[in-house]
Amino acid sequence: MQDTTIVRVPFETEYITRPALLNSLDGSMHCDDETGRQFTIRAADTDGQRSSASILINKMYATRGYRSSFLPAAGTPERITLVATDDDVTIGTLTIGFDSSEGLLADQLFSSETDELRDAGRSVCEFIKLAIDSSVRSRRVLASLFHVAFICAHRLRGTDNVVIEVNPRHVRYYERMLGFKVAGPQRLNPRVDAPAVLLDLDLCYGSSQIDRFGGQPEYALVERSLYPYFFSAHEQAGIVRRLQRKQPARMSIPRQHSTPQPQYATA
């Protein structure tokens, strides 16, 4: 069976003291978990991986009163699902949806906003079905999922912008932690039976923050975002090589600037 591992990542320590921060600015402090525990980011390309991701999504959505549905049995070039696992237990998942002739799920509520991006010549993708196990207290898990998704979208597929639909309660978090901006007003999302706001991120901005802070978790005390928990330039280059080697056909689909005619799907 093909190994779907993209990267193995050490869990961070629970906190970094301010003296440790000061020592680390000259490169002398390493803040990875001294126990050596690691989690793994994989592409969910097997029935078992996709089933485990679906179970986690349904579990976490149910705790918030959201409606949810299982992932399709098989992935497609337009949908790439990532999973984070700790000792083969799925602790996080995120799916990247690329624009195509069928459009994006976000088109169902926010077609005028996504069409505005397309009309401006921007290629667009969406991040959907994000779930992190509530027992996991690690920013690095969330940051690693986002960074691998950024790489797939921006570095390998040349996508310009990513949009996400989030509950209004979570808007400030995504603005502060990743630099998303509000792109569409609050509306009821029937796929999850909850209100949603459309957020948009220019992936060039995301890349600039990764270049500035990635691989430097010691900066997390002064830079209040997730970007210090992203990978370093060297680590990112290795991930790009592995993704290109493992899934060259899936990653080589060219960007699309033409406005598609959406045929709305359900989540």
Side-chain angles (χ1 to χ4, degrees):
M1 183 175 65
Q2 182 184 15
D3 182 11
T4 58
T5 297
I6 297 171
V7 62
R8 291 184 175 87
V9 189
F11 283 99
E12 75 273 30
T13 52
E14 292 185 356
Y15 60 91
I16 306 171
T17 63
R18 289 193 178 275
L21 171 66
L22 296 175
N23 291 336
S24 67
L25 296 181
D26 64 5
S28 62
M29 174 62 67
H30 187 63
C31 70
D32 288 343
D33 190 334
E34 294 179 357
T35 66
R37 282 187 60 216
Q38 294 182 322
F39 61 92
T40 302
I41 304 292
R42 292 186 172 93
D45 287 343
T46 70
D47 291 343
Q49 289 166 344
R50 298 179 72 81
S51 177
S52 295
S54 290
I55 290 170
L56 177 63
I57 292 166
N58 292 340
K59 171 187 171 184
M60 299 316 302
Y61 279 34
T63 63
R64 292 166 174 80
Y66 301 160
R67 180 185 300 163
S68 62
S69 60
F70 278 82
L71 292 166
T76 70
E78 289 76 37
R79 294 278 178 86
I80 297 174
T81 294
L82 305 172
V83 291
T85 59
D86 178 14
D87 196 21
D88 292 328
V89 175
T90 298
I91 58 174
T93 182
L94 171 66
T95 294
I96 314 157
F98 293 100
D99 212 355
S100 69
S101 60
E102 295 184 356
L104 301 170
L105 291 179
D107 292 330
Q108 184 175 6
L109 292 181
F110 299 102
S111 60
S112 60
E113 290 82 2
T114 52
D115 281 344
E116 183 176 349
L117 287 168
R118 295 177 181 117
D119 291 343
R122 310 291 291 180
S123 56
V124 189
C125 71
E126 61 187 350
F127 291 171
I128 57 177
K129 294 189 176 295
L130 169 65
I132 304 292
D133 194 300
S134 58
S135 66
V136 176
R137 306 297 182 187
S138 169
R139 286 187 173 182
R140 188 167 286 173
V141 172
L142 180 59
S144 298
L145 281 169
F146 268 111
H147 196 171
V148 174
F150 278 23
I151 291 170
C152 292
H154 190 56
R155 293 289 302 274
L156 300 180
R157 297 279 287 262
T159 307
D160 300 311
N161 290 66
V162 58
V163 295
I164 58 174
E165 297 170 275
V166 304
N167 189 287
R169 298 193 306 269
H170 302 150
V171 168
R172 187 70 189 98
Y173 179 86
Y174 285 95
E175 289 177 328
R176 183 178 69 253
M177 302 304 286
L178 289 163
F180 277 90
K181 298 182 182 300
V182 174
Q186 177 177 325
R187 294 172 180 145
L188 180 65
N189 186 335
R191 297 193 308 276
V192 294
D193 194 24
V197 174
L198 186 72
L199 303 183
D200 167 54
L201 178 67
D202 184 330
L203 287 171
C204 285
Y205 169 81
S207 291
S208 72
Q209 297 304 294
I210 293 168
D211 291 343
R212 183 178 179 186
F213 296 111
Q216 302 177 89
E218 63 272 12
Y219 278 95
L221 288 177
V222 292
E223 167 55 29
R224 298 293 184 175
S225 76
L226 282 179
Y227 288 110
Y229 294 104
F230 279 48
F231 301 111
S232 68
H234 175 73
E235 292 165 332
Q236 179 175 246
I239 293 168
V240 170
R241 288 193 297 270
R242 285 191 290 277
L243 285 169
Q244 289 174 328
R245 185 169 62 248
K246 289 174 181 297
Q247 303 182 60
R250 175 177 290 184
M251 297 302 175
S252 64
I253 296 175
R255 66 172 63 186
Q256 298 192 21
H257 284 305
S258 58
T259 302
Q261 299 299 316
Q263 299 176 9
Y264 298 131
T266 57

